Every structure is written in C-alpha cells, then in structure tokens.
Amino acid sequence: MGSTFSLLGRDFEVNPMSALLTILGLWALRGIFKTVRLLMTPSFFPQFRTAFQPLGLPGSFLPTTSWTAGLDWNWHTRRARQSPLPPILVGPQAIWTSNIEVARQVITGSHKTSFYKPAWASQALLIWGMNLVASDGQMWRKHRRVFGPAFNSELYKLVWEETTRTYKDMIQTDGWNTKDVVDVPVAQNLTVKVLAFMVIASCGFGFESSWATPASTDGLLYLPFASFTEARMARDRLAAFMQAQIAERKVDVAAGSTRADAFTMLVKANQDESNKYQLDDEELIGNIFVLMFAGHETTAATLAATLGFMAIHDDIQEEVLAQIISVVGLKGEPQLEDYPKLDKVLAIFYEALRMFPPASMLIREATEDTILTVPNPPGEEGSQSVPISKGTQIVLDMVGAQYNPRYFENPAEYRPSRWYGLPAESELFTAFSVGARACIGRKFAALEATSFLTLLLRDWKIVPLLRDGETKEAWGARMKDARMVMTLGVATDIPVRFERRTHTG
Ligand code: HEM
Ligand SMILES: *[C@@H]1O[C@H](CO)[C@@H](O)[C@H](O)[C@H]1NC(C)=O
C-alpha cells in the first residue's frame, strides 16, 4: 500500500520501499560521482593509467611504462600527476595518496581504526618471527611497548660514540690518514659497510669488533646482503646462535649489565617486570632481524645519496662546513650535546631523504566500510568525505608526498635550508612517517648520519669522481634516477672523490 503526494498539481502514488531504494541508489550514485570527481582532481590522489595494479600480480614484476604501473611508478610520475583516469583497472581496489592528512587517518597504530597493515606488505621481514614492523593492532602495541624503553638515551649515546669510533677506525685501517685524495667508485659500498658495522657490530648487537676485523659472528655481518635462499639455509644455524645470545643477555641483564646496545636494551625492556607486555624468544629474534634490515639499508642508501648531493653542491658543502667548524672546531670530536647545534648537517641528510625516500610506499587496508576526510586542493578551504569500502588498499605514496607542492616549494630542488633551525624531531619532516606508528629508529638514523657526516665533511672535501671527459653537470644528471629494490635509492653507483681539507693538516 503506497502513499500519495502532490507535485505540480498532479498526485503521485509512491511505494515507500521503492522510494527508499531510489533514495539509497541516488545517495550511492552521489558518492560515486563525488569519488570520481575527487579522483580527477590531481592534488588529491595521484593518477596513472595502468593495466595492472602495482601491488598485485603481475604488476609488481613489470617495469613502469606508459601503460602499466610497476612498484616504482610513483617515482616516475613524481613531477607530473595529471592523467585523468583513476589507477583502478585490474586487481583489488586501491587508492594511492600523497596527502599527509589522509595518511594520518590511515597510519595510526591504534587498533581502534578501520585500517590495518596487511602482513603481506612485510612478508620478507616475517621469516624470523613476528616483529614490530609486521604486526598490527594489539600485537603491534605489545611490540612497541617493549621497543619504546629500549630506544633510550643510553642507546643514543652509544650510537653517537660508536659512529665517531667507526669513522676514526675506517680512516686508520683503510689508510686514509696517509692520503690526500681518496677515490670511492661506489659510495653506497662505503656507507653500507659503515652502517652494517654500526648496527650489527656495535650498536645493534654490541659485539667487540674493529673495521679491519669485523666481529666473528659466523657470517652474521653480511647476512642482510645475502639472498633470501642463503638466508633461509642459514636460518636454523642462526636461530640457534640467536637463542644462545638471548640466553647470555638475560644472564647479563639479571647481573646488572651496563651494555647499551639495542639487543641488550630490548632484552632488558622485555625482562622489566613493571612492563606488562612481554615478547617471547621468537619475537625477540624477529625484532633483532628487523633492526638489521629496517635499520641500515635505508640509512646507508640515504647517506650515500647525501654524499652525492654534496659532490655537486659546493656552496652548500661550504655552508655546512662553516657550521661544523664553529661547533666542533678544526680538531675536536663532536659530542652528543653538539647534535642540536649541527642542524645544517642533519638538514643535508634529511633533504637527501626527502628526495629519495627509501620507504617509498606505506600500505594499509580497510577492515570495514569507512570514510576518509580529504582536504580540498591548496588554496581552497574545507575538505570532502570519501567513502572507502572494506578491503580497499590505501597506499601512502611517500614519493608523491615528498614531492607534493602543497608541502614543499620547488620540490624537485635539493634545498637543505628548508630544514635549518627546525627541531630534529619536527613532524614537518614526514619521510619517517607520522604519528604513533612512525619510524622508531628515526633518531638512531639521524644521530648516525650527523655524527658521521660531521667528521667526514670537516676533514674531506667531496667532489664528483668523473669519467674521462665527463662534466660535473653530466655526472649530476647520472645521479638523478632512482631504483626500487626492497627500498628506494639512487639507481646508479655514486662515484665520489674525497680531497683532504688543508686545515686538518
Ligand atoms: C633513513 C632511515 C630510515 C627511514 C627512511 C625509515 C623509514 C621508516 C618508515 C616510513 C616507517 C613506517 C613504516 C610503516 O608504517 O609502514 C618505519 C618504521 C620502522 N622503522 Fe624505520 N626508517 C629508517 C631507519 C630506521 C632505523 C635506523 C631503525 C632501527 C634502528 C628503524 C626501525 C624501524 C622500525 C622497528 C619500524 C616499525 C615501527 C612501528 O611499526 O611501530 N628504522 N621506518
Ligand atoms: C660494491 O659492492 C658490490 C656489491 O657487493 C660489488 O659487487 C662491487 O664489486 C663493489 N664495488 C667496489 C668498487 O667496491
């Protein structure tokens, strides 16, 4: 039985059920139109015509071309995101965003939100056990509660001092102290060694070691560079080794150990009875391996890119040198207290990180139908609500965010002065992610970089190591592309030359 109403002098009979359906239908259509309109607005979500999803099969194995988006598609389109089609043709529904305010709604760490971090996004890190990076919800909370206290001022002091020691050890052992010019054909190899040394030998595990004779840990030092098959084959042996290490540390900690490496700190935080969260041994091992992977690939790649940028920006190098000399002097050693005063040194690292963000995408999925609040384009007030259906992937396009003109004037320009005078932990710097689930190793990486670069730049002038007849400009152009292998970094070898600064005598 319908009801009637009048419109323009005529009576209409309406079935309430169909009226309801029509209204719902229109409502849904309105939602779809709003979404399509939104997707067509370049500054909301990056656009790309693609035959396959970059995060599906076969998309993730294909290179980025004009018709398909590979894993590094966001790098290729970082400067021009104008194509009109939403990137959804095949595969699960996915939305990529380069907006930090949208990211904040998705990457919260809280188990009370409608988004979670899918395990497949961290699959490679799960072979050693559940860990902080791969977990979500209550599990994540537990791991973070143990990590929090482990990343403390004692650890940071050790990071700073060990980096200084590593630098001096390297200079001595590799004979730099007897040379005026040192050529390094692959800067990445140098920084990887420094970081592997730092993380695995000194600050991660606390093994006694030196640059010449890396800790005798049965190949452990080079494990992160081994292929996964090799790693898996070594798995059992290493698991036994780790088990023994944990047992040893538990005894040490109980006896009041003063060691401050991350491994010991984790065991200590885990033993702390006032902490109601506890990890089992397998989880501890999972986290130790994560520290090695998450910790040094990223930092090493960024440090190498920083050296590359210094080689082609003399003016910036001189400016940073002036700060280093005024804070540390011509001969002294940088102290941890100097860290806040070396903001220009940190800025050259942060800016390299902005331009080559190693964590190039952060992946989440909607656990239920929900709404995202998306700010209007720059210059327009307000925001729009975008309906998201359960199962949709939301990807923070980190490259897009770091090249987003909403946040950065002239984003394609290497300009460390953007960061001068800002606190090291400023949330304006977003390449370590934002909010409660941001990178827990941010300060760890920043300290390593600042301490190492301070000594290196004070004592050595970095210039490009040119090929025969190559100009500095051509060298610079070679360094401009990026490559994705687990993490994003400069695509080519970075060949640099270190020339001794005369003031160091
Ligand atoms: C330049 C260096 C680094 C960059 C760019 C970086 C970037 C990031 C980003 C973007 C995340 C968030 C990932 C996500 O939510 O999906 C993250 C998480 C994490 N990072 Fe880093 N990271 C760096 C260095 C380090 C270091 C040195 C360590 C350890 C010493 C570390 C340990 C971790 C851990 C354990 C997490 C997981 C945190 C959580 O989920 O609660 N990272 N990192
Ligand atoms: C740099 O490291 C790579 C990978 O380990 C190696 O193949 C290459 O020979 C190294 N190059 C130099 C010049 O040390």
Side-chain angles (χ1 to χ4, degrees):
M1 182 59 221
S3 58
T4 53
F5 73 102
S6 303
L7 185 68
L8 300 173
R10 290 181 59 187
D11 286 343
F12 289 84
E13 187 159 331
V14 189
N15 176 321
M17 199 56 211
S18 65
L20 191 67
L21 285 176
T22 310
I23 289 169
L24 282 178
L26 284 175
W27 186 259
L29 260 183
R30 188 170 156 271
I32 291 169
F33 276 124
K34 268 175 84 175
T35 310
V36 169
R37 222 194 56 171
L38 204 69
L39 287 169
M40 289 172 69
T41 314
S43 48
F44 282 152
F45 299 107
Q47 312 286 302
F48 198 73
R49 274 173 216 269
T50 181
F52 306 108
Q53 276 294 330
L55 292 178
L57 291 174
S60 52
F61 287 100
L62 295 175
T64 301
T65 66
S66 57
W67 57 275
T68 187
L71 273 181
D72 60 351
W73 78 279
N74 56 340
W75 172 262
H76 289 269
T77 59
R78 68 196 183 283
R79 284 177 201 160
R81 294 252 166 82
Q82 313 294 347
S83 86
L85 268 185
I88 306 152
L89 292 178
V90 171
Q93 174 100 352
I95 290 181
W96 291 57
T97 177
S98 48
N99 188 294
I100 295 295
E101 295 322 307
V102 176
R104 278 185 197 280
Q105 298 162 50
V106 178
I107 305 167
T108 58
S110 157
H111 57 286
K112 293 195 191 88
T113 70
S114 318
F115 299 94
Y116 78 112
K117 186 170 185 175
W120 61 264
S122 329
Q123 203 60 50
L125 291 174
L126 277 170
I127 56 173
W128 299 105
M130 186 39 83
N131 57 68
L132 180 60
V133 175
S135 54
D136 200 279
Q138 288 293 4
M139 180 64 92
W140 170 78
R141 205 173 142 81
K142 176 173 95 169
H143 283 250
R144 188 94 185 188
R145 283 293 174 91
V146 176
F147 259 76
F151 279 57
N152 56 30
S153 55
E154 274 174 272
L155 176 66
Y156 294 143
K157 189 159 183 292
L158 185 75
V159 171
W160 186 271
E161 286 166 1
E162 285 297 309
T163 310
T164 307
R165 189 173 76 86
T166 302
Y167 171 81
K168 292 198 304 194
D169 200 356
M170 174 189 94
I171 296 289
Q172 190 80 31
T173 309
D174 287 353
W176 291 37
N177 52 347
T178 62
K179 295 178 192 154
D180 287 331
V181 174
V182 178
D183 286 349
V184 175
V186 187
Q188 288 95 331
N189 286 15
L190 181 77
T191 59
V192 159
K193 188 169 176 192
V194 170
L195 267 298
F197 190 78
M198 283 297 301
V199 170
I200 298 162
S202 306
C203 300
F205 286 90
F207 294 128
E208 278 296 319
S209 52
S210 73
W211 189 256
T213 52
S216 58
T217 52
D218 225 8
L220 195 59
L221 181 61
Y222 294 101
L223 185 81
F225 320 116
S227 71
F228 277 107
T229 358
E230 282 174 59
R232 221 175 251 134
M233 278 166 56
R235 191 198 143 107
D236 293 349
R237 203 164 38 111
L238 278 166
F241 172 80
M242 296 298 292
Q243 209 73 52
Q245 287 289 319
I246 289 178
E248 192 183 307
R249 263 147 236 263
K250 281 182 181 166
V251 174
D252 281 1
V253 166
S257 163
T258 54
R259 294 166 73 172
D261 58 272
F263 193 169
T264 303
M265 285 301 180
L266 264 184
V267 172
K268 201 175 194 168
N270 202 39
Q271 301 291 94
D272 186 349
E273 285 178 3
S274 64
N275 197 342
K276 64 177 173 147
Y277 297 90
Q278 296 262 306
L279 305 179
D280 60 31
D281 285 0
E282 195 183 327
E283 291 170 327
L284 268 177
I285 294 176
N287 281 310
I288 294 299
F289 279 97
V290 154
L291 282 184
M292 300 201 301
F293 280 99
H296 83 264
E297 282 282 340
T298 43
T299 316
T302 311
L303 212 44
T306 311
L307 299 182
F309 280 117
M310 285 302 100
I312 45 176
H313 292 281
D314 287 337
D315 48 338
I316 298 173
Q317 200 178 155
E318 295 303 317
E319 196 181 338
V320 173
L321 176 66
Q323 179 173 73
I324 294 172
I325 292 174
S326 82
V327 173
V328 183
L330 293 177
K331 292 266 183 237
E333 254 176 38
Q335 306 298 316
L336 184 54
E337 299 80 68
D338 296 331
Y339 172 59
K341 293 181 241 160
L342 293 164
D343 62 311
K344 292 185 179 177
V345 183
L346 182 59
I348 58 174
F349 178 75
Y350 271 7
E351 184 67 349
L353 186 47
R354 183 185 69 79
M355 295 194 71
F356 290 92
S360 64
M361 56 184 141
L362 309 188
I363 304 164
R364 300 296 188 270
E365 271 175 33
T367 51
E368 58 191 0
D369 291 352
T370 183
I371 304 275
L372 279 180
T373 306
V374 180
N376 283 331
E380 279 179 40
E381 303 264 299
S383 59
Q384 309 212 20
S385 299
V386 182
I388 301 292
S389 49
K390 180 176 172 173
T392 305
Q393 288 170 10
I394 307 285
V395 184
L396 169 60
D397 166 9
M398 190 58 100
V399 179
Q402 302 308 319
Y403 282 78
N404 191 338
R406 183 191 280 267
Y407 311 119
F408 303 108
E409 190 187 291
N410 245 332
E413 187 191 332
Y414 180 76
R415 196 200 287 169
S417 60
R418 304 175 200 278
W419 311 111
Y420 288 0
L422 275 178
E425 61 283 357
S426 167
E427 278 237 326
L428 291 176
F429 191 77
T430 50
F432 291 100
S433 185
V434 288
R437 205 172 174 169
C439 179
I440 203 164
R442 173 172 171 166
K443 187 167 185 187
F444 195 114
L447 289 172
E448 285 174 320
T450 305
S451 161
F452 188 74
L453 288 168
T454 294
L455 284 165
L456 189 70
L457 289 178
R458 186 195 53 191
D459 299 349
W460 306 86
K461 179 179 165 67
I462 307 174
V463 299
L465 179 58
L466 302 172
R467 291 173 180 159
D468 278 349
E470 189 179 35
T471 64
K472 201 173 161 181
E473 287 66 37
W475 186 95
R478 278 206 275 149
M479 304 303 132
K480 288 228 155 70
D481 206 11
R483 176 173 58 185
M484 252 304 276
V485 188
M486 296 277 287
T487 56
L488 184 131
V490 175
T492 55
D493 294 345
I494 304 175
V496 286
R497 167 170 287 176
F498 298 94
E499 295 173 354
R500 178 184 296 284
R501 297 258 180 206
T502 46
H503 63 72
T504 58

